[in-house]
Amino acid sequence: MKDLQFQRHRRLRTTDSMRALVRETHLQTQDLIYPIFVVEGEGIKKEVPSMPGVFHLSLDYLTEEMKEVRGLGIRSVIVFGVPKEKDEVGSQAYCETGIVQQAIRQIKQDVPDLTVIADTCLCQYTDHGHCGVVRDGEIVNDESLTLLAQTAVSQAKAGADIIAPSNMMDGFVAAIRQGLDEAGFVNTPIMSYAVKFASAFYGPFRDAAHSSPQFGDRRAYQMDPANRLEAIREAQSDEEEGADFLIVKPGLSYMDIMRELKDRFPLPIVAYNVSGEYSMIKAAAQNGWVNEEEIVLEKLTSMKRAGADLIITYFAKDVAKYLSQQ
């Protein structure tokens, strides 16, 4: 043993304070974006069955929830709307009195220092559940762009700080950027769902948003999970068209994509820790199979390590509490 030569890496792991001193990746409350589901009506605070701890909220419960979120140190929320009425063109998405527009106005009035991000899509608002206009059974691209731009402008008028289009139509960033600029919102950023895969992890979200397709699926516009180079092309197009942030969705199964985008593009990268990822951990924790706090912090830290600057997560309130205790 006297002549044995090797590195003593464990010197930097000996104590909690030593490990903290050399920690390379840090998860912070300000990295988190909290998704909320706002519904029409009054007196509604109803838990989503497949997402324990996530609620449908009517506007009379919204301010209380947003004050709690801000009090935990979370600085950003993304708003999803669940309307009472749907039609073939999703007109409630771009209606000035739509549920998302009402929610944005209320949040900016009551908790003005929260950054409000508006999800910009049609699927929650169309009676067929697809993210664009349907003609003869086909989701048509260019006609959908007009409605998506209208939706973005209406959300910006309501006070949204950031527009987050999630539809995966070709040219959606260019159309929305032009629409915002022409309406005078040249300083409103676009957080593009640049790389959104046709994933099996979205099931609980569709339960929450009431947005399941009534026919077919979304594989004609969302990405094939097997494709990596296509993800880079999608992100490059969005950067060239004027995106200010790039989202990778889902996060957990696509951290290789996240890292490539972080290395290639000079824009903030956003991981979406999606509903299926959330519900699996909640279910396992409720059964006593995993330690929820430890596995959540490990998972989100790994997304930061993979290149995410920000993380959209239903765990945001839980994580804010975990971090404050640390």
Side-chain angles (χ1 to χ4, degrees), residues 25-34 74-77 115 117 162 189-192 244-251 258 262 267-273 299-313 316:
T25 304
H26 297 275
L27 180 66
Q28 303 176 83
T29 303
Q30 65 224 43
D31 302 331
L32 308 175
I33 299 169
Y34 185 52
I74 298 165
R75 304 178 68 101
S76 306
V77 296
T115 296
I117 305 165
I162 300 172
I190 295 174
M191 181 181 285
S192 171
D244 300 281
F245 304 78
L246 301 174
I247 298 176
V248 177
K249 182 180 180 184
M258 218 177 293
K262 183 64 177 176
L267 296 176
I269 304 299
V270 185
Y272 200 138
N273 174 212
K299 180 178 66 166
L300 299 191
T301 300
S302 71
M303 292 179 184
K304 287 290 299 290
R305 190 189 66 243
D309 299 288
L310 303 168
I311 304 173
I312 302 171
T313 179

Side-chain angles (χ1 to χ4, degrees), residues 85-199:
E85 297 181 5
K86 303 187 178 193
D87 57 36
E88 63 179 5
V89 292
S91 58
Q92 285 300 303
Y94 43 87
C95 176
E96 289 189 8
T97 56
I99 185 61
V100 164
Q101 287 79 358
Q102 292 184 62
I104 293 168
R105 291 188 189 98
Q106 184 170 319
I107 296 169
K108 294 308 295 183
Q109 176 180 309
D110 296 344
V111 194
D113 61 340
L114 266 178
T115 296
V116 178
I117 305 165
D119 179 78
T120 305
C121 197
L122 302 179
C123 61
Q124 297 108 285
Y125 307 92
T126 55
D127 52 17
H128 47 73
H130 280 286
C131 303
V133 177
V134 175
R135 295 279 181 251
D136 299 321
E138 178 186 353
I139 296 85
V140 295
N141 195 91
D142 295 7
E143 190 174 342
S144 301
L145 296 181
T146 301
L147 299 185
L148 291 165
Q150 278 184 245
T151 301
V153 170
S154 73
Q155 293 167 337
K157 285 181 177 177
D161 298 293
I162 300 172
I163 299 300
S166 59
N167 53 87
M168 288 299 285
M169 297 292 114
D170 288 338
F172 69 96
V173 172
I176 288 171
R177 184 72 271 159
Q178 182 181 61
L180 290 171
D181 290 353
E182 290 177 352
F185 296 102
V186 295
N187 292 321
T188 300
I190 295 174
M191 181 181 285
S192 171
Y193 287 70
V195 181
K196 183 177 180 180
F197 290 91
S199 173

Side-chain angles (χ1 to χ4, degrees), residues 217-233:
D217 55 38
R218 295 179 177 145
R219 295 178 185 275
Y221 44 101
Q222 293 180 1
M223 277 190 50
D224 185 338
N227 290 358
R228 173 179 136 304
L229 295 178
E230 183 183 4
I232 296 167
R233 294 197 300 270

Side-chain angles (χ1 to χ4, degrees), residues 27 251-252 255 273-282 292-306 311 313 315:
L27 180 66
L252 188 61
M255 287 196 277
N273 174 212
V274 298
S275 60
E277 298 165 8
Y278 173 87
S279 297
M280 287 191 302
I281 291 176
K282 283 290 185 181
E292 183 175 331
E293 177 177 344
E294 290 181 358
I295 203 168
V296 168
L297 291 175
E298 180 180 341
K299 180 178 66 166
L300 299 191
T301 300
S302 71
M303 292 179 184
K304 287 290 299 290
R305 190 189 66 243
I311 304 173
T313 179
F315 285 114

